[in-house]
Amino acid sequence: LQLLCRGADADPAALECALEQFRGSTNMTDQMGALRAVVLSCPAAVPDIVNVRQQCLDAFYDQWKEYPLVVLKWLRLSAAQPGMDADGMARLMAREAFDLKNPNKVNATVFGFAGVPTQFHRRDASGYKVVADVIKRLDSLNATTAASLANHLFTNWKRVAPAERREAMRAEM
């Protein structure tokens, strides 16, 4: 389904197929697979894809919000969606699904965002700032989780290229 969705800009039926799978799924696993295809694999050139993604994410959350482990999957996928930036992360973290006091929700959201190199390692270094801001806010609530995030995401700053991004990453530490 994800491979099919990659061609959705050339063949609108591909997106429709994924949406049918999403809407017609009778279990969370199948629905999450279809959601992942729509969110992660449909090209930006597909008409109205940003709204379609958000509608599917919202529908999935509304259906499964009573299941904490599913909400973690939803947070991670939401944070990893194409085009996620500081404003998008702020909106995601303002939702009822996110709780800065819950380490699993923080990890799912931050690692979802940072797991997409084009978002975390943006040329303007704003991805580093997004993550560093979360770590700074988290430090007073849960220093252990904050330290773990910093350790996993910022200790490799010496290997980041080019030098401007390396220095931006170091500055956020």
Side-chain angles (χ1 to χ4, degrees), residues 22 28 31-32 35 55-65 70 73-74:
F22 176 77
M28 186 280 303
Q31 194 174 35
M32 176 56 90
L35 180 62
Q55 288 169 2
C56 289
L57 284 164
D58 291 346
F60 184 89
Y61 177 74
D62 289 342
Q63 182 174 350
W64 300 101
K65 65 184 171 187
V70 178
K73 293 170 90 57
W74 177 85

Side-chain angles (χ1 to χ4, degrees), residues 9-62:
D9 53 343
D11 182 9
L15 177 58
E16 269 315 306
C17 180
L19 292 173
E20 275 181 40
Q21 175 78 26
F22 176 77
R23 294 181 191 122
S25 294
T26 58
N27 62 69
M28 186 280 303
T29 303
D30 289 346
Q31 194 174 35
M32 176 56 90
L35 180 62
R36 287 181 60 78
V38 170
V39 172
L40 299 178
S41 297
C42 287
V46 173
D48 205 31
I49 191 61
V50 174
N51 290 328
V52 170
R53 282 183 189 132
Q54 196 57 55
Q55 288 169 2
C56 289
L57 284 164
D58 291 346
F60 184 89
Y61 177 74
D62 289 342

